[in-house]
Amino acid sequence: MNILVINGSPRGKASNTYRLAQAFLEGIKQAILGLAGTGSGQKADAHGESGNNVRVEELMVNRMDIRSCLGCFSCWNKTPGKCCIGDDMGEVIQKLLWADITIWSFPLYYYSVPGALKNLIDRQLPMCLPFMTEREDHVGNGSHPARYDMSGKKTVVISTCGFYTAEGNYDGVKSLFDHMCGRGSYTEIFCGQGELFRVPELSQRTDEYLSYVKAAGREYAKGDISVSTRKALEELLYPKEMFESMADASWGIDKESGEKETDTLIFTRQMAALYRKDSYAGKELVLEMLYTDLDECYQIVLGKEGSRVLKDGFKEATTRIETPVTVWKSIAAGEIRGDEALMRHLYKVKGDFSLMINWDNYFGSYGGSAAGEAGKVQTPEGRKAMSRKGTSMNIMLIPWIIFWVAVPINGQVGSLAGIGACALVPLLFYQYKKTFYDVLTGALVSGLSVTVLLGGPERIILPVSYFAFGLMWSVSCLGKIPLTAHYSMNDYGGDRALQNPLFVKTNRILTLLWGILYLLTPVWTYILMGTEISGFTGAVNSVLPALMGIFTVWFQRWYPAKVAGG
Ligand SMILES: Cc1cc2nc3c(=O)[nH]c(=O)nc-3n(C[C@H](O)[C@H](O)[C@H](O)COP(=O)(O)O)c2cc1C
């Protein structure tokens, strides 16, 4: 199969649109060469000849000598089929005749194609015969027959534009290609927000979009682009308002004064543009950015209606980030993980640390409809759906608490209650994911309850149960993920939190402290069980955990903030 790519962007290979065309081409090659999903790492080379039966030629219009048509009609009368201008257009016509698929790739310029490409299109005149005819598909009135047999040749039109959407902006282009190729006879991919494809900080979203373009290429090679891929391609890269703030900020010109702004201010404005106002939690937050290497400071006010950047007239900061701009840019571009950089003390955070913990909620990137789990997290509905499927510490705690409170009061009834809790609690919390510790709890509490039922001494079994509980917590600290992290991750973005070293370290410390408390609890439990107030052992043993609970709430805010503050 011969594929011709005509890149009509004056930017040549640095074109946004060309990236889409490359992705589409890669998809076609994958499908034809059978590389899709094999993970073979074999690269479908998009440049020049490629292996097997796919041959690719690329024409960079910006590097070619293609002059404008002289309107002399000599290609029709004096030298039929041959233009009188001796430039590169002869080669273009040869390639058009050679290609089975022609991919036209260009930016939208004034609602049409760029001028140089329009020259190339005009200069296709020698490919037509001069006679008057009507088109079979009745597009327009009047046409000229083709000089060559073009049947079976296919056309793909790929274009990006600068406005937030392609919708309503491509009438001119569609009309042109309807006349050139026939309505419905070509495949189109038109994408708004094209300039975002050159912003490394947004590559998570643009790469996702490119993956849909690639999928479209694969599907196209096998027949047609599927409805779901089409839908993903039609999705906006970012919501209109967010995109327009980013676009406005990118010019680096102050909206009021028209003055040039510093790179750091532009960067801060673009960061502010990514704020998701649906994350507003009832009070305005002020994020202060101090770029330590340049000694520049700005504030981003995160409010109900959106964000704004302050250059002066600062408010009291909720959270202050002290960072070299180079570090923050690397984080933004995804070159280093923010949490990792924090652990390596590459930047500091002062003030309220919760803004950092919930960073993805405030500034998370957007995913398309088919974005999968990562995308789902980005929408309020998705977040709800994710939290429904989270874990719950209640499944693990309730059976133990029932056992500890009920057994000292009445061994037989208490142990039956313990067994009942092990059976019922997982059912009551059926919508939550079960952890290893939920299952282990079921086994331990049931086992201990049965031992009491069979007449085991409560004064021994109760302390043993506390010890088993403490052991479960302490031993979990030796693993990669400590026990509490499996549950508290729900409040910190789900599974992603488990990759955050600071989150895991905080949980490891807390899990160990709780583990030690319960490894010691058997000592006074044994003593209490021998006294007259043995029936209240469960209640007495709740006092220290209650205090420990208060400490936990404080520690899980204080410790990360302490590390972050340097
Ligand atoms: C001269 C000129 C005219 C443009 N006209 C439009 C336009 O009419 N509508 C639009 O949405 N974007 C317009 N744009 C923006 C480009 O289409 C957009 O930046 C595109 O992504 C550039 O793609 P490229 O990198 O492939 O050249 C125009 C840009 C230039 C330079």
Side-chain angles (χ1 to χ4, degrees):
M1 174 174 293
N2 299 338
I3 304 176
L4 173 65
V5 180
I6 299 180
N7 176 17
S9 168
R11 290 168 169 170
K13 287 193 173 172
S15 144
N16 303 322
T17 320
Y18 182 63
R19 292 192 63 192
L20 271 68
Q22 291 291 295
F24 192 84
L25 186 61
E26 191 106 342
I28 296 183
K29 286 179 170 184
Q30 280 189 344
I32 294 176
L33 304 178
L35 302 178
T38 60
S40 65
Q42 196 180 339
K43 196 170 182 300
D45 183 9
H47 304 278
E49 291 296 296
S50 84
N52 290 2
N53 48 359
V54 182
R55 286 165 297 274
V56 179
E57 288 283 351
E58 290 186 346
L59 296 177
M60 296 286 160
V61 177
N62 69 327
R63 290 219 226 112
M64 300 183 85
D65 176 21
I66 299 173
R67 280 164 252 163
S68 55
C69 176
L70 296 174
C72 63
F73 289 117
S74 61
C75 61
W76 277 359
N77 49 26
K78 289 198 188 124
T79 51
K82 195 169 180 326
C83 180
C84 64
I85 307 173
D87 59 7
D88 292 339
M89 192 58 205
E91 182 194 339
V92 176
I93 290 179
Q94 286 313 309
K95 296 270 161 68
L96 283 165
L97 295 175
W98 164 85
D100 300 305
I101 300 175
T102 299
I103 302 175
W104 297 81
S105 166
F106 56 88
L108 186 70
Y109 273 14
Y110 276 89
Y111 307 96
S112 186
V113 300
L117 186 65
K118 182 63 167 58
N119 277 346
L120 184 151
I121 289 170
D122 292 349
R123 294 279 305 282
Q124 293 177 105
L125 203 68
M127 296 178 76
C128 295
L129 291 165
F131 315 115
M132 296 295 171
T133 182
E134 282 301 325
R135 295 176 62 99
E136 277 171 21
D137 57 7
H138 302 292
V139 175
N141 295 305
S143 181
H144 298 292
R147 187 180 295 274
Y148 306 101
D149 178 12
M150 303 297 277
S151 56
K153 290 187 182 293
K154 293 166 92 179
T155 304
V156 179
V157 184
I158 299 180
S159 179
T160 65
C161 70
F163 292 136
Y164 80 94
T165 178
E167 212 179 306
N169 292 326
Y170 275 88
D171 300 354
V173 170
K174 282 186 195 168
S175 170
L176 174 65
F177 279 90
D178 281 356
H179 283 89
M180 242 169 83
C181 313
R183 189 172 293 149
S185 304
Y186 58 94
T187 299
E188 66 197 39
I189 295 178
F190 298 143
C191 171
Q193 309 187 14
E195 286 304 313
L196 301 189
F197 285 93
R198 56 203 321 107
V199 182
E201 288 83 356
L202 305 177
S203 59
Q204 196 189 337
R205 175 68 181 117
T206 48
D207 284 352
E208 181 198 353
Y209 190 89
L210 289 171
S211 74
Y212 299 138
V213 178
K214 199 175 193 177
R218 277 197 299 271
E219 292 166 7
Y220 175 82
K222 290 180 178 165
D224 206 358
I225 301 175
S226 68
V227 175
S228 62
T229 303
R230 262 276 156 236
K231 215 170 146 249
L233 290 174
E234 279 158 16
E235 201 102 15
L236 296 181
L237 284 174
Y238 284 88
K240 175 178 187 286
E241 202 183 325
M242 191 180 274
F243 163 73
E244 290 182 344
S245 320
M246 279 195 282
D248 288 353
S250 71
W251 301 110
I253 306 291
D254 186 284
K255 260 191 168 173
E256 270 116 54
S257 67
E259 301 266 308
K260 180 92 189 91
E261 294 184 327
T262 65
D263 281 355
T264 324
L265 179 54
I266 301 169
F267 175 66
T268 310
R269 283 199 195 286
Q270 291 193 308
M271 196 170 119
L274 283 170
Y275 168 61
R276 315 158 55 102
K277 61 183 181 189
D278 64 349
S279 66
Y280 178 74
K283 79 172 171 117
E284 217 175 53
L285 302 177
V286 181
L287 173 63
E288 188 166 292
M289 298 295 305
L290 172 69
Y291 300 106
T292 48
D293 45 351
L294 302 175
D295 200 24
E296 281 183 52
C297 188
Y298 304 104
Q299 286 193 331
I300 306 175
V301 183
L302 309 173
K304 194 177 176 187
E305 301 303 328
S307 66
R308 60 186 198 282
V309 174
L310 304 181
K311 294 189 280 183
D312 41 39
F314 285 170
K315 296 168 167 251
E316 193 189 332
T318 316
T319 307
R320 172 182 163 104
I321 297 175
E322 296 177 4
T323 178
V325 72
T326 43
V327 167
W328 205 252
K329 280 193 173 172
S330 299
I331 293 171
E335 290 159 13
I336 347 172
R337 283 178 58 105
D339 40 37
E340 232 175 79
L342 191 60
M343 284 295 274
R344 285 164 52 199
H345 300 293
L346 296 179
Y347 67 94
K348 289 180 191 170
V349 180
K350 304 267 165 80
D352 186 352
F353 192 70
S354 61
L355 195 148
M356 304 305 293
I357 289 171
N358 295 307
W359 188 269
D360 282 355
N361 288 346
Y362 294 116
F363 297 103
S365 73
Y366 275 77
S369 60
E373 290 297 288
K376 270 191 251 157
V377 166
Q378 312 304 345
T379 62
E381 299 75 29
R383 280 201 287 271
K384 251 187 241 160
M386 293 284 285
S387 69
R388 262 203 306 276
K389 283 194 221 136
T391 56
S392 170
M393 205 184 237
N394 288 327
I395 306 173
M396 190 265 292
L397 283 184
I398 293 174
W400 287 104
I401 293 171
I402 289 181
F403 180 83
W404 289 331
V405 172
V407 167
I409 299 168
N410 184 313
Q412 297 295 301
V413 177
S415 44
L416 283 174
I419 294 170
C422 291
L424 276 179
V425 171
L427 291 178
L428 287 175
F429 288 87
Y430 70 93
Q431 74 271 46
Y432 290 91
K433 266 196 243 164
K434 309 293 176 292
T435 70
F436 165 72
Y437 300 101
D438 298 341
V439 179
L440 186 61
T441 288
L444 288 174
V445 175
S446 309
L448 289 160
S449 301
V450 170
T451 318
V452 174
L453 270 181
L454 294 177
E458 288 152 31
R459 195 174 174 197
I460 300 292
I461 291 168
L462 212 64
V464 165
S465 74
Y466 281 113
F467 190 79
F469 186 77
L471 209 57
M472 180 169 87
W473 283 58
S474 313
V475 169
S476 84
C477 291
L478 303 174
K480 219 171 132 202
I481 310 294
L483 186 146
T484 51
H486 290 282
Y487 302 99
S488 54
M489 68 179 187
N490 300 317
D491 299 327
Y492 298 99
D495 289 344
R496 280 178 304 158
L498 302 180
Q499 286 157 25
N500 180 335
L502 189 52
F503 171 81
V504 173
K505 193 170 174 193
T506 310
N507 276 278
R508 198 179 301 283
I509 296 171
L510 282 171
T511 305
L512 189 63
L513 290 176
W514 278 94
I516 291 170
L517 173 69
Y518 279 90
L519 286 177
L520 295 175
T521 303
V523 178
W524 53 84
T525 302
Y526 180 77
I527 297 167
L528 272 175
M529 290 291 286
T531 67
E532 281 182 3
I533 56 158
S534 66
F536 296 100
T537 304
V540 173
N541 278 350
S542 307
V543 176
L544 272 180
L547 294 175
M548 186 71 172
I550 296 168
F551 168 80
T552 300
V553 171
W554 169 81
F555 184 84
Q556 62 193 12
R557 283 177 154 265
W558 172 82
Y559 182 71
K562 184 188 166 294
V563 174

